[in-house]
């Protein structure tokens, strides 16, 4: 069946996916309830999935393609950054939003983003609340700063600028196309298959802010985000922090950057030593273990890089 001739979208929604067909199916179906869906296009980037992802997307397009502007694209280069960049290349709108393949947006999600960018011509990017949908019981230790690796975010009920220490998360973020010019997601960072590397989003937002871009939070740009039982373990969260430490080291390419990172590691070790004296709750004790894993990931990566340089 020939694709309908849709008008140019005001918003491009990019959903990158890897081997989560059943969760993706729920996300796609949830889009049908969104207000003003006709103002957006949906771009699904299949990042080398080996399950029935293609079948799920093609079935969705066959059932709803007459009134939903949706396309499927297979990206052969493994990695979330590569998938996101492919989506950006396909996007037709001036506003580009990213939604995880296991996230359910609020019905006002599209309208909120388009309206916010129209009202804030100086705003380069935005994000909103992300509430968890736990597959199993929430662990007692999952509190405070440990919520961020699970992309649990709530900055309140008012519009505000993001604090410098925090950026929108990939599960729920949007930016102007102009803000991404020359700032595509770095391919050496970000998840690749099951490897939990990160840092690619922070890098992009650093570039946006370095050019004077304004990044804002909107309470109505809300999504619910699935957290599988497999991630609600101490082993997973410690590995997540270890990979974050790796990501921190990978981003440092010059001797000056590495020296600065080592200074931060030393300061962090001192902070952890002091914090451990007052750690009483199960959450605070777990946070200390995770931060030590982050340091271990950083140091292992730096040592491995030195060994490779010496050998090569």
């Amino acid at each position: 069946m020939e694709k309908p001739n849709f008008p140019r979208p005001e918003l491009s929604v990019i959903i990158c996916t890897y081997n989560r067909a059943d969760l993706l199916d729920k996300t796609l179906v949830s889009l049908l309830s969104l207000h003003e869906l006709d103002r957006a296009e949906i771009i699904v980037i299949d990042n080398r999935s080996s399950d029935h992802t293609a079948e799920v997307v093609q079935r969705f397009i066959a059932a709803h393609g007459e009134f939903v502007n949706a396309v499927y694209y297979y990206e052969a280069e493994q990695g979330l950054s590569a998938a996101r960049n492919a989506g950006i290349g396909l996007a037709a709108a001036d506003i580009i939003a990213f939604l995880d393949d296991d996230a359910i947006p609020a019905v006002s999600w599209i309208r909120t983003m388009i309206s916010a960018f129209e009202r804030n011509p100086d705003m380069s990017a935005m994000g909103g609340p992300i509430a968890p949908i736990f597959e199993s019981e929430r662990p007692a230790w999952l509190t405070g700063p440990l919520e961020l690796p699970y992309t649990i975010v709530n900055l309140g009920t008012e519009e505000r600028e993001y604090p410098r220490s925090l950026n929108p998360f990939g599960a729920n973020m949007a930016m102007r196309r102009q803000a991404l010019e020359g700032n595509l997601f770095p391919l050496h960072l970000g998840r690749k298959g099951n490897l939990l590397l990160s840092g690619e989003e922070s890098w992009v937002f650093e570039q946006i802010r370095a050019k004077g871009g304004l990044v804002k939070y909107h309470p109505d740009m809300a999504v619910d985000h699935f957290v599988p039982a497999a991630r609600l373990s101490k082993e997973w969260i410690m590995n997540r922090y270890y990979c974050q430490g790796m990501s921190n080291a990978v981003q440092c390419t010059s001797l000056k950057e590495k020296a600065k990172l080592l200074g931060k590691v030393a300061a962090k070790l001192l902070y952890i030593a002091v914090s451990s004296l007052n750690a009483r709750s199960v959450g605070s004790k777990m946070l200390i273990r995770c931060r030590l894993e982050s340091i271990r990931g950083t140091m292992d990566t730096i040592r491995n890089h030195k060994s490779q340089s010496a050998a090569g």
Side-chain angles (χ1 to χ4, degrees):
M1 182 177 66
E2 186 176 344
K3 182 180 178 180
N5 186 23
F6 292 103
R8 186 172 183 268
E10 298 173 67
L11 175 74
S12 296
V13 179
I14 299 173
I15 303 174
C16 301
T17 188
Y18 173 69
N19 281 347
R20 298 207 284 188
D22 293 334
L23 290 169
L24 174 65
D25 191 24
K26 294 179 180 179
T27 293
L28 291 175
V29 171
S30 76
L31 301 180
L32 301 176
S33 301
L34 299 189
H35 298 159
E36 303 180 29
L37 180 58
D38 59 325
R39 301 175 72 181
E41 66 174 348
I42 311 301
I43 303 172
V44 181
I45 306 296
D46 180 354
N47 195 203
R48 295 185 65 177
S49 297
S50 57
D51 62 1
H52 53 292
T53 289
E55 178 185 340
V56 163
V57 182
Q58 290 161 3
R59 185 172 63 240
F60 177 83
I61 293 174
H64 309 287
E66 289 188 33
F67 62 92
V68 178
N69 185 359
V71 298
Y72 167 87
Y73 181 83
Y74 182 87
E75 173 53 53
E77 183 173 356
Q78 188 78 71
L80 182 53
S81 288
R84 285 174 172 162
N85 291 343
I88 294 168
L90 293 171
D94 291 330
I95 303 171
I96 298 174
F98 294 89
L99 181 70
D100 268 8
D101 57 4
D102 55 359
I104 308 297
V107 294
S108 60
W109 191 66
I110 289 174
R111 183 170 60 197
T112 295
M113 287 184 284
I114 294 176
S115 174
F117 277 108
E118 288 176 345
R119 288 186 292 102
N120 296 275
D122 58 338
M123 184 175 73
S124 297
M126 65 183 296
I130 305 174
I133 304 173
F134 292 112
E135 185 179 26
S136 59
E137 184 178 356
R138 178 176 181 147
W141 48 260
L142 208 177
T143 60
L146 287 173
E147 289 186 336
L148 286 180
Y150 290 97
T151 62
I152 300 172
V153 180
N154 190 328
L155 300 185
T157 58
E158 303 293 330
E159 290 185 54
R160 56 173 292 190
E161 185 174 354
Y162 267 87
R164 298 290 297 186
S165 59
L166 186 64
N167 298 309
F169 282 85
N172 183 28
M173 64 183 182
M175 51 271 290
R176 296 187 191 275
R177 174 185 293 279
Q178 185 177 7
L180 289 168
E181 291 179 0
N183 297 326
L184 292 180
F185 291 90
L187 298 180
H188 67 292
L189 297 173
R191 295 191 179 187
K192 294 186 179 183
N194 295 317
L195 183 61
L196 301 179
L197 286 175
S198 57
E200 80 286 2
E201 295 164 13
S202 297
W203 185 90
V204 167
F205 282 111
E206 284 175 8
Q207 308 313 306
I208 290 174
R209 283 177 160 142
K211 296 179 180 179
L214 177 64
V215 183
K216 295 190 70 174
Y217 165 91
H218 198 298
D220 296 332
M221 184 186 167
V223 305
D224 293 332
H225 187 236
F226 181 71
V227 182
R231 294 186 181 181
L232 296 173
S233 68
K234 293 179 179 180
E235 291 74 20
W236 187 90
I237 189 62
M238 290 177 69
N239 182 52
R240 174 68 179 79
Y241 268 82
Y242 181 87
C243 290
Q244 179 61 58
M246 292 176 60
S247 302
N248 294 340
V250 168
Q251 293 181 68
C252 298
T253 55
S254 68
L255 289 176
K256 182 178 180 180
E257 289 174 336
K258 289 178 181 178
K260 186 177 180 180
L261 177 61
L262 289 174
K264 288 182 178 180
V265 167
K268 188 181 292 186
L269 279 171
L270 179 61
Y271 176 81
I272 291 172
V274 174
S275 299
S276 63
L277 298 175
N278 299 313
R280 298 291 183 268
S281 68
V282 64
S284 60
K285 292 178 180 179
M286 190 65 210
L287 179 60
I288 288 172
R289 293 178 63 186
C290 287
R291 285 173 169 167
L292 287 172
E293 279 300 294
S294 175
I295 291 173
R296 191 168 71 88
T298 295
M299 299 309 297
D300 284 351
T301 303
I302 291 175
R303 281 194 292 266
N304 289 338
H305 179 72
K306 286 183 177 179
S307 297
Q308 290 171 4
S309 298

